[in-house]
Amino acid sequence: MTVADEAPGGGRRYALLLAMGDSEYVREVHGGYFGVFVGAFGCDGDTWDSFRVYDGQYPAPGDLDGYDGFVITGSPSDAHGDDEPWILRLCEFVRTLHAMEKRVLGVCFGHQVLCRALGGRVGKSSSGWDLGVRMVNLVTLDELQRFEFLKDLQELPTSAPLIQIHQDEVLELPPGATVLAHSEKTGVEMFAVGDHVLGVQGHPEMDMGILHHIIDIFVETNTITVCILL
């Protein structure tokens, strides 16, 4: 098994599937995106392995049963565009995990890859980039508690602020998927398939420092042409 990083523990075991490299800022401040995601989602006792899927690193097939969950990160690449071999391989890997009913969380690009891999459709937003912090509207607590992995929720706000950095979005849900959240700009901010697949368009793992750093890069490189800046 090729392991890029590991956070030791004695509890659950997770695989972080990195779909992008680290910027100098993220390395210096957070120890890379590995540190960002483990800091946001990890609990004491968990073990996290990370794999640079954009470089062809994956857990060995025989190790998949040993993971309690998988997380797919964001990426500057399009989940729907040119059929890059590494993205096609990632889609195939998602289908393998889905068939095993392994729990998978996809964030931004990861959210879109989940949609594509499982039979939905992803494309560019007709209104351009969404960049900033946007209020996301959630379905009711009763609706969320129908999912086994969310049944322990005791309370939930009707909406919540979430960092957004994307110009692509889910256009058609995969078969069997349910929308769990939407926003004024994006119809599918969050979706689930069964009790094991969850896609989130925004960035719950990020802080404002990372958002401002990415905005600075976009400005310097003239990345943004049409934008809803919040």
Side-chain angles (χ1 to χ4, degrees):
M1 178 177 67
T2 302
V3 180
D5 295 286
E6 182 172 333
R12 298 188 178 217
R13 186 181 184 191
Y14 297 97
L16 180 65
L17 307 179
L18 288 162
M20 60 183 168
D22 298 324
S23 69
E24 183 177 348
Y25 170 85
V26 172
R27 280 196 303 271
E28 291 180 354
V29 176
H30 298 281
Y33 280 108
F34 178 78
V36 172
F37 276 86
V38 174
F41 300 133
C43 296
D44 290 343
D46 289 347
T47 296
W48 285 76
D49 304 328
S50 74
F51 301 86
R52 298 184 178 93
V53 294
Y54 63 89
D55 271 344
Q57 293 182 353
Y58 281 86
D63 291 334
L64 298 184
D65 278 332
Y67 286 100
D68 295 284
F70 299 78
V71 179
I72 307 172
T73 72
S75 174
S77 298
D78 291 339
H80 62 87
D82 294 337
D83 288 335
E84 296 184 47
W86 77 268
I87 294 178
L88 294 178
R89 183 180 178 189
L90 178 58
C91 287
E92 185 59 36
F93 186 68
V94 166
R95 287 189 283 271
T96 296
L97 298 179
H98 179 51
M100 297 174 68
E101 296 190 353
K102 303 297 291 186
R103 289 190 171 179
V104 186
L105 168 66
V107 175
C108 196
F109 169 86
H111 162 87
Q112 297 159 13
V113 160
L114 289 177
C115 175
R116 175 182 178 178
L118 300 182
R121 187 166 68 89
V122 178
K124 291 194 181 300
S125 168
S126 60
S127 56
W129 281 88
D130 197 3
L131 183 60
V133 180
R134 181 174 292 280
M135 293 302 295
V136 172
N137 304 306
L138 302 165
V139 298
T140 67
L141 183 60
D142 285 345
E143 289 175 285
L144 290 173
Q145 288 176 330
R146 294 173 188 170
F147 293 89
E148 181 70 22
F149 69 102
L150 297 173
K151 69 177 183 179
D152 292 331
L153 286 174
Q154 298 301 312
E155 57 182 59
L156 196 72
T158 57
S159 61
L162 197 59
I163 289 175
Q164 305 281 353
I165 309 172
H166 67 98
Q167 64 173 331
D168 302 331
E169 63 184 20
V170 170
L171 301 177
E172 294 179 8
L173 288 170
T178 301
V179 177
L180 302 184
H182 70 279
S183 69
E184 182 180 344
K185 184 179 187 299
T186 303
V188 184
E189 287 281 1
M190 186 185 305
F191 74 87
V193 179
D195 284 315
H196 58 281
V197 172
L198 180 65
V200 180
Q201 179 57 73
H203 286 276
E205 82 286 4
M206 285 189 178
D207 61 20
M208 294 302 293
I210 298 176
L211 172 62
H212 292 155
H213 166 65
I214 291 174
I215 290 174
D216 287 343
I217 292 175
F218 283 1
V219 171
E220 291 170 3
T221 57
N222 293 317
T223 296
I224 301 172
T225 54
V226 179
C227 175
I228 304 297
L229 185 60
L230 303 175

